[in-house]
């Protein structure tokens, strides 16, 4: 199941990249029907089928390049759906072994909703709200798959006694306070980043990526064109291809997205630096923070390049891909912090096990254990143990774990 999940992560990333490529090549309506293409499972190529397709959809004649872009995207998305269904079925069969079940079922629901959004993207003629939702849905599927993979890897490590004590931070209130604060600020950062991704999706769905072609803000008269109400509303239109908002509204979208980029950059940079310089962060957390900072700087450089070089296709597609990398890096940081806090909860007392922890952890030795200084031993009584082992090593607590 872990290997299938890893393969599904790769597929989800490919689907996001192909979706961006399809959108940026104006191929969102390359096939005017769904799930096929002009009533076929593949793009019509023969003269007879092309003539039939053009007769059926005279307002949307066959453009093979755009149609293939759209159908390849659908093929990969369909394959991803089959993989997620298989993951859900395997999880149900292995639920007695401690395999996560709720997350695979959530993923299956997300995939079904994503398919519906894909259909509405076509049938509602690229309605911006649907297009943005489709983008966020793709990122949500990728994120859930990544979290599932991390949980499966942790579960496997616990079952094989592969958890490493030396990965734990120093015990004590200061270390716990640091991890708790990182968890809080990382979750806030996740909200900031998701909002920025949504703003990018809204800007792209309304064809506002080139509304401003100057730095650092926009053209000289941008202040007089600001229209927040119009920018974040959906005008009535029969077709939203190439956008239905006026220029001032698109300028507003673009400027808000730039402002969001500055806020996201400063916030996540501060978070990453704080983890890097702390003595209470694990090596894994510092490594993840380095990856996050690199992705963050790369994303800003790609955003600036989109403006300077007038939205080159490769750069614009990479802008979407690196956003996904940045999101996964932040999720990985959150996961490592939550894992450390759970492990601290297991070992913070004299062998007392917290039943709320959802991972299997090896029992610590009954004598002070201090591998490479990873744990402090002052919390364990240095004197000889007398009487029942259970009364000293595993003290009874109301409603707790009694052995």
């Amino acid at each position: 199941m872990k290997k299938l999940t890893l393969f599904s992560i790769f597929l989800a990333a490919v689907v996001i990249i192909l979706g961006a490529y399809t959108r940026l090549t104006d191929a969102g309506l390359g096939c005017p029907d769904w799930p096929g293409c002009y009533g076929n499972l593949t793009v019509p190529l023969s003269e007879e089928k092309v003539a039939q397709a053009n007769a059926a959809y005279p307002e949307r004649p066959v453009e093979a390049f755009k149609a293939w872009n759209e159908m390849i995207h659908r093929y990969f998305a369909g394959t991803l759906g089959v993989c997620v269904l298989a993951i859900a079925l395997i999880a149900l069969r292995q639920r007695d072994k401690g395999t996560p079940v709720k997350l695979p079922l959530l993923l299956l629901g997300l995939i079904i909703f994503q398919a519906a959004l894909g259909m509405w993207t076509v049938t509602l003629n690229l309605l911006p709200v649907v297009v943005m939702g489709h983008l966020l849905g793709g990122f949500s599927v990728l994120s859930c798959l990544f979290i599932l993979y991390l949980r499966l890897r942790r579960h496997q490590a616990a079952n094989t006694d592969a958890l490493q004590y030396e990965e734990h931070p120093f015990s004590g209130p200061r270390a716990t306070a640091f991890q708790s604060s990182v968890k809080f600020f990382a979750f806030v950062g996740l909200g900031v980043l998701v909002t920025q991704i949504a703003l990018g999706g809204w800007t792209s769905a309304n064809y506002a990526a080139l509304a401003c072609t100057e730095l650092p803000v926009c053209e000289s008269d941008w202040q007089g064109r600001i229209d927040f109400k119009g920018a974040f509303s959906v005008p009535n239109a029969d077709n939203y291809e190439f956008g239905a908002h006026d220029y001032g509204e698109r300028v507003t979208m673009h400027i808000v997205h730039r402002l969001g980029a500055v806020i996201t950059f400063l916030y996540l940079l501060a978070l990453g630096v704080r983890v890097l310089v702390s003595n209470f962060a694990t090596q894994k957390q510092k490594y993840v923070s380095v990856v996050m900072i690199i992705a963050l700087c790369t994303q800003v450089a790609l955003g600036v390049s989109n403006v300077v070089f007038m939205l080159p296709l490769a750069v614009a597609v990479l802008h979407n891909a690196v956003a996904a990398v940045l999101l996964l890096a932040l999720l990985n940081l959150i996961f490592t912090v939550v894992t450390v806090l759970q492990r601290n909860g297991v070992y913070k007392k004299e062998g007392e096990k917290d039943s709320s922890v959802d991972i299997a952890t090896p029992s610590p030795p009954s004598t002070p254990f201090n591998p490479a200084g990873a744990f402090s031993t002052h919390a364990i009584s240095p004197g000889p143990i007398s009487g029942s082992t259970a009364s000293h090593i595993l003290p009874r607590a109301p409603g707790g774990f009694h052995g």
Side-chain angles (χ1 to χ4, degrees):
M1 182 173 170
K2 190 177 77 168
K3 291 181 179 179
L4 180 58
T5 302
L6 185 60
F7 177 69
S8 299
I9 291 172
F10 168 76
L11 271 182
V14 171
V15 170
I16 288 175
I17 293 171
L18 288 175
Y21 183 79
T22 301
R23 185 172 62 254
L24 290 163
T25 54
D26 302 323
L29 294 177
C31 294
D33 53 342
W34 190 94
C37 190
Y38 294 94
N40 301 280
L41 292 177
T42 61
V43 177
L45 296 176
S46 66
E47 292 184 5
E48 180 183 357
K49 287 189 175 182
V50 170
Q52 292 174 352
N54 290 338
Y57 298 92
E59 75 287 354
R60 185 69 60 177
V62 176
E63 295 182 71
F65 173 73
K66 292 184 177 181
W68 274 119
N69 287 352
E70 174 65 11
M71 287 308 294
I72 291 174
H73 174 59
R74 293 183 190 179
Y75 294 151
F76 274 89
T79 305
L80 175 61
V82 173
C83 290
V84 170
L85 175 60
I87 289 172
L89 293 176
I90 294 172
L92 288 173
R93 291 187 62 182
Q94 297 182 353
R95 59 184 180 275
D96 294 336
K97 300 179 181 179
T99 302
V101 175
K102 293 181 181 179
L103 189 53
L105 293 179
L106 173 63
L107 268 166
L108 184 59
L110 273 174
I111 283 290
I112 294 172
F113 185 57
Q114 268 292 87
L117 287 172
M119 177 185 67
W120 295 331
T121 297
V122 176
T123 58
L124 297 178
N125 294 317
L126 303 181
L127 183 67
V129 173
V130 175
V131 174
M132 182 187 71
H134 199 39
L135 172 71
L136 291 177
F139 276 85
S140 298
V141 169
L142 177 65
S143 300
C144 288
L145 282 168
F146 184 65
I147 293 171
L148 177 61
Y149 176 77
L150 293 176
R151 290 185 62 185
L152 289 171
R153 188 175 65 176
R154 184 179 66 178
H155 179 71
Q156 183 182 40
N159 288 339
T160 57
D161 293 334
L163 293 175
Q164 299 296 318
Y165 288 94
E166 60 267 25
E167 291 182 359
H168 299 175
F170 300 107
S171 61
R174 291 182 61 191
T176 301
F178 169 77
Q179 295 290 334
S180 298
S181 67
V182 170
K183 175 185 172 183
F184 172 78
F185 287 111
F187 271 112
V188 173
L190 181 62
V192 171
L193 180 57
V194 170
T195 301
Q196 177 62 7
I197 292 173
L199 286 172
W202 185 253
T203 301
S204 178
N206 288 285
Y207 298 84
L210 290 178
C212 294
T213 57
E214 295 183 9
L215 295 171
V217 183
C218 198
E219 281 72 10
S220 58
D221 58 342
W222 63 268
Q223 297 92 337
R225 298 182 182 274
I226 295 296
D227 181 4
F228 290 103
K229 183 178 180 180
F232 296 98
S233 62
V234 180
N236 293 323
D238 295 329
N239 194 318
Y240 294 92
E241 189 174 25
F242 306 117
H245 289 82
D246 63 34
Y247 178 65
E249 293 167 346
R250 298 189 199 197
V251 165
T252 305
M253 298 174 198
H254 192 108
I255 290 175
V256 171
H257 182 52
R258 285 196 192 182
L259 178 61
V262 173
I263 294 173
T264 304
F265 175 76
L266 294 177
Y267 188 94
L268 294 184
L269 180 64
L271 176 64
V273 170
R274 183 186 182 194
V275 172
L276 283 176
V277 301
S278 174
N279 293 326
F280 297 109
T282 65
Q283 288 300 117
K284 176 69 176 293
Q285 290 169 349
K286 292 185 178 184
Y287 169 76
V288 172
S289 295
V290 168
V291 174
M292 184 178 71
I293 291 174
I294 292 174
L296 186 65
C297 295
T298 304
Q299 186 70 342
V300 171
L302 290 170
V304 172
S305 298
N306 277 330
V307 175
V308 173
F309 300 109
M310 303 298 289
L311 202 67
L313 181 59
V315 174
V317 171
L318 279 174
H319 198 49
N320 285 263
V322 176
V325 173
L326 181 58
L327 177 60
L328 296 187
L330 182 56
L331 287 172
N332 199 0
L333 177 62
I334 292 173
F335 188 86
T336 59
V337 170
V338 170
T339 300
V340 165
L341 288 173
Q342 289 175 338
R343 291 174 180 174
N344 277 354
V346 173
Y347 294 103
K348 65 184 177 182
K349 294 184 180 180
E350 297 177 4
E352 181 177 350
K353 185 172 182 179
D354 184 357
S355 60
S356 65
V357 177
D358 63 351
I359 57 173
T361 51
S363 299
S366 58
T367 56
F369 180 70
N370 186 21
F375 292 96
S376 174
T377 59
H378 65 272
I380 302 177
S381 175
I385 298 176
S386 61
S388 167
T389 302
S391 65
H392 292 268
I393 301 302
L394 203 60
R396 183 179 298 271
F401 177 76
H402 305 313

